């Protein structure tokens, strides 16, 4: 049976009364469960931060849940940090992959000097493009790629990717303008129109 609002409010009120005296007046009922779940040290640190001028209680509570010993200065100043994606070592790409990317860069940006295109092809920002180029290269090497289920699934993935890229282009006029100025041909993906 789900808890009704009145009983939930009563439960929150009991939790609020169980908090340290100085902290009670600063915690709203909507935040009381999270604050009550903190360790005694975390609650004490939260009170110190509030007394020092803390404004964003939910963020501080989350940080204290992770690290109850976080300094007051960090609670006051530290922006919300998301877990960074793990940095994987950059694989060694065959030289022809980087050459292929440099060629595509020059096709997309005809005025770019070759040395700049090669530098961009090797830049960290192009890691995803290098990975895709290498995946495309591997796609046609093994014999099992000729099986119907592999071809159909890979083709479906490519069409979905193309559709998502087209949506980005359609939603971003500056990108569309850059695309139109490039040497790449525009071949709209009519697949999604068939499903409509």
């Amino acid at each position: 049976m789900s808890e009704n609002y009145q009983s939930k409010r009563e439960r929150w009120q009991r939790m609020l009364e169980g908090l340290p005296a100085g902290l009670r007046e600063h915690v709203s009922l909507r935040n009381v469960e999270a604050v009550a779940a903190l360790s005694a040290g975390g609650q004490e640190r939260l009170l110190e931060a509030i007394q020092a001028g803390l404004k964003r209680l939910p963020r501080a509570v989350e940080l204290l849940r992770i690290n109850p010993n976080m300094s007051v200065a960090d609670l006051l100043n530290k922006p919300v940090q998301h877990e960074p994606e793990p940095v994987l070592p950059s694989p060694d790409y065959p030289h022809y992959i980087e050459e292929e990317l440099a060629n595509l860069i020059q096709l997309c940006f005809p005025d770019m000097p070759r040395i700049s295109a090669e530098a961009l092809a090797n830049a960290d920002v192009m890691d995803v493009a290098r990975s895709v180029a290498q995946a495309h290269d591997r796609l046609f090497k093994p014999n099992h790629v000729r099986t119907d289920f592999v071809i159909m699934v890979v083709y479906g993935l490519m069409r979905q990717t193309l559709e998502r890229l087209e949506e980005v282009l359609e939603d971003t006029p500056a990108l569309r303008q850059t695309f139109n100025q490039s040497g790449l041909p525009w071949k709209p993906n009519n697949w999604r129109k068939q499903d409509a």
Side-chain angles (χ1 to χ4, degrees):
M1 186 165 100
S2 65
E3 183 178 29
N4 67 32
Y5 180 74
Q6 183 59 35
S7 62
K8 187 181 291 190
R9 188 174 171 79
E10 289 169 4
R11 182 171 53 83
W12 287 344
Q13 194 62 45
R14 286 191 301 273
M15 287 178 154
L16 189 61
E17 290 166 8
L19 293 178
L23 193 55
R24 286 182 210 141
E25 63 199 57
H26 299 287
V27 177
S28 67
L29 286 181
R30 73 170 182 245
N31 292 320
V32 71
E33 282 184 300
V35 173
L38 291 175
S39 67
Q43 290 176 356
E44 184 179 317
R45 189 59 50 100
L46 181 62
L47 179 57
E48 291 171 12
I50 289 170
Q51 291 168 341
L54 177 71
K55 300 290 185 226
R56 297 206 50 215
L57 192 69
R59 178 183 144 277
V61 170
E62 180 62 24
L63 292 172
L64 285 168
R65 188 186 62 76
I66 296 166
N67 178 9
N69 298 317
M70 182 169 280
S71 73
V72 171
D74 283 343
L75 289 172
L76 293 173
N77 299 318
K78 191 170 183 175
V80 176
Q81 294 196 359
H82 300 285
E83 189 72 27
E85 288 186 28
V87 177
L88 302 173
S90 188
D92 291 329
Y93 294 97
H95 181 68
Y96 64 88
I97 295 286
E98 291 170 353
E99 282 290 312
E100 181 181 335
L101 284 181
N103 292 341
L104 280 170
I105 290 167
Q106 282 196 293
L107 178 64
C108 296
F109 303 95
D111 296 336
M112 184 179 288
R114 182 65 184 184
I115 194 162
S116 299
E118 289 173 353
L120 183 56
N122 289 304
D124 289 345
V125 73
M126 294 297 282
D127 275 346
V128 70
R130 281 192 298 273
S131 295
V132 169
Q134 190 168 38
H136 286 185
D137 184 54
R138 285 195 321 253
L139 177 66
F140 294 102
K141 286 188 177 175
N143 291 334
H144 65 271
V145 79
R146 303 289 183 229
T147 61
D148 57 353
F149 66 91
V150 173
I151 288 290
M152 295 305 294
V153 170
V154 169
Y155 184 78
L157 285 170
M158 297 294 184
R159 294 299 298 229
Q160 287 175 348
T161 300
L162 182 59
E163 183 174 316
R164 290 177 70 185
L165 286 171
E166 287 176 353
E167 287 174 4
V168 170
L169 285 169
E170 289 171 4
D171 294 343
T172 315
L175 266 177
R176 180 61 194 259
Q177 183 178 0
T178 301
F179 190 94
N180 288 336
Q181 293 170 351
S182 78
L184 290 175
W186 175 253
K187 291 185 177 180
N189 181 3
N190 294 323
W191 195 19
R192 66 182 150 178
K193 293 178 181 125
Q194 292 173 359
D195 296 337

